[in-house]
Amino acid sequence: MTPADLSRTVLHAVRRAVDENALRAPVPARVRVERTRPGGSGDYACAVALQLAGPAELPALEVARILRERVAAEPGIGRVEITGPGFLSFTLDAPSDSDLAVLHAVREQGIAYGHGGALRDEILQFHHAREVRAAVTAHAVRRLLVSQGARVRITCDEAGDPEWSRLGVTVDAHGTPPVPLPRIRPVPAGATAGELLERLGADAVRWGLLRPAGHDRAPLGDDLLVQGEANPLFRVRYAHARARALTRGAAALGFTSEPGEPLEPVAHEGADLAASEGAAYATHAEPAPYESAYAAHKGAEPLAHAAATPSPPPEPPARPLLDLLADHPGVLLAAARHRAPDRVARQLEAVAHAFFDFHDSCPPLPSGDEKPSAAHRSRLALAEAAGTVLAGGLSLLGISAPAHL
């Protein structure tokens, strides 16, 4: 059960309680669930009982009790507790089932993972000034809203700059409709799209314009082109490229992340090819944090065949990355609602950071004399899911996600 599944389960319980006349309150459009914070109880928590207490004219604890008995019977829910003034805390039947559901969803949906229909009833028209940052931001906001089912039209004060098309920007019309975008701070010294493209290229320009919040200054220095760990754009794109390299390396070693396929390692030249895939990237980045994934890793028992369904990696470094992947749909929806593409950029940075931590601590590829095992398959599945999420997020920002860097 993913967080989105759990949210729908709780919302269904609210509808049942209202239909059965146990609650007299309007059914909310959505229910928000969050990972339990350190020291809390269960896997997820929800404050819907506090939200409904006023309209229902009941104490929050009583509303929580009404909902608990309806949620507890649902498949996938192990335990429901009431904590504090009326919070519902959920423990899932098997945490690994939730993790597997996330990995399955990413595999099935690809770069559209996190897209949905929550805003399908919204028809919006936004207006922006004839300025490059406003234009790029409007375009990214439209992508985010469309990913959540909304229909969006963009207009501008006057005819757009022809150079905007090189940044993937289009304008539907010009004029002055009544719905402006949130305040967008112009680029320093009024730089034009052509000037920025000439100096930085389209991907770096878009990242530099979208990564800061709209009201903050957009730094557009040459550090956006640095091929190293200190550049967040490079780190995000490198994480994606590294995930793709792991897939190629695994194929050279004779295995994939697909469940149920036999693990049959090939001859040693496959290992040489897999190692060369890693070495090829070391020339573009500081090797210390990234290339240590090929350090010796002992203790994994080789298996002749994989389990029918690989479990997610049990190692602690996997947990932050799994949580970020599970939260990704909620981040995209929040970014669309708040017209804030910078939230997506920050999410991608967090995913890249967690990916490298996991990658370095739990190598998805065997090293030395080690043979591919079910653990390597599971790690590869998580690495590939991270790469897919990074590609999807970059796509929403209009930035390319190369398989090689």
Side-chain angles (χ1 to χ4, degrees), residues 23 46 48-50 52-53 58-71 80-89:
L23 275 180
C46 175
V48 66
L50 283 75
L52 296 175
L58 289 172
L61 287 171
E62 179 62 25
V63 175
R65 281 191 286 270
I66 292 170
L67 297 178
R68 178 178 62 181
E69 63 186 44
R70 288 165 173 80
V71 175
V80 183
E81 300 174 86
I82 300 173
T83 59
F87 292 100
L88 290 170
S89 296

Side-chain angles (χ1 to χ4, degrees), residues 227-398:
Q227 300 288 289
E229 183 185 3
N231 179 4
L233 173 60
F234 173 79
R235 193 162 61 244
V236 168
R237 298 173 85 211
Y238 183 82
H240 169 266
R242 191 74 197 94
R244 298 295 172 248
L246 291 172
T247 300
R248 297 190 297 271
L253 291 171
F255 76 100
T256 73
S257 64
E258 290 287 344
E261 289 190 0
L263 292 166
E264 299 175 351
V266 297
H268 186 69
E269 56 266 23
D272 293 339
L273 175 58
S276 70
E277 281 282 3
Y281 290 91
T283 58
H284 296 286
E286 297 88 342
Y290 301 159
E291 297 308 322
S292 60
Y294 282 93
H297 174 69
K298 304 300 181 184
E301 293 293 329
L303 300 178
H305 295 275
T309 304
S311 297
E315 299 96 339
R319 184 75 266 153
L321 181 54
L322 283 163
D323 288 347
L324 285 165
L325 299 187
D327 292 342
H328 187 68
V331 171
L332 295 188
L333 179 57
R337 289 184 185 279
H338 292 278
R339 317 332 183 195
D342 57 290
R343 295 189 180 204
V344 178
R346 289 196 299 272
Q347 166 77 351
L348 299 182
E349 289 181 44
V351 170
H353 180 79
F355 167 81
F356 285 124
D357 283 349
F358 164 70
H359 171 287
D360 291 349
S361 301
C362 309
L365 300 184
S367 92
D369 296 333
E370 195 178 8
K371 295 180 180 179
S373 70
H376 292 115
R377 187 197 299 284
S378 296
R379 294 171 184 173
L380 180 62
L382 178 53
E384 289 176 340
T388 299
V389 166
L390 291 169
L394 287 170
S395 176
L396 286 173
L397 297 179

Side-chain angles (χ1 to χ4, degrees), residues 4 11 45 64 100 120 129 134 143 149 181 204 211 221 226 235 274 295 301 322 330 379 387 400:
L11 186 59
L100 282 171
R120 60 182 173 273
R143 282 174 179 253
L181 279 168
R211 170 56 182 84
V226 172
R235 193 162 61 244
E301 293 293 329
L322 283 163
R379 294 171 184 173
S400 64

Side-chain angles (χ1 to χ4, degrees), residues 3-41:
D5 293 332
L6 180 56
S7 176
R8 286 191 290 268
T9 297
V10 177
L11 186 59
H12 178 64
V14 173
R15 287 200 183 100
R16 281 181 53 204
V18 171
D19 292 344
E20 295 165 6
N21 210 31
L23 275 180
R24 296 183 179 179
V27 178
R30 64 190 180 107
V31 169
R32 183 178 181 182
V33 298
E34 297 180 326
R35 279 277 179 187
T36 303
R37 294 176 184 176
S41 175

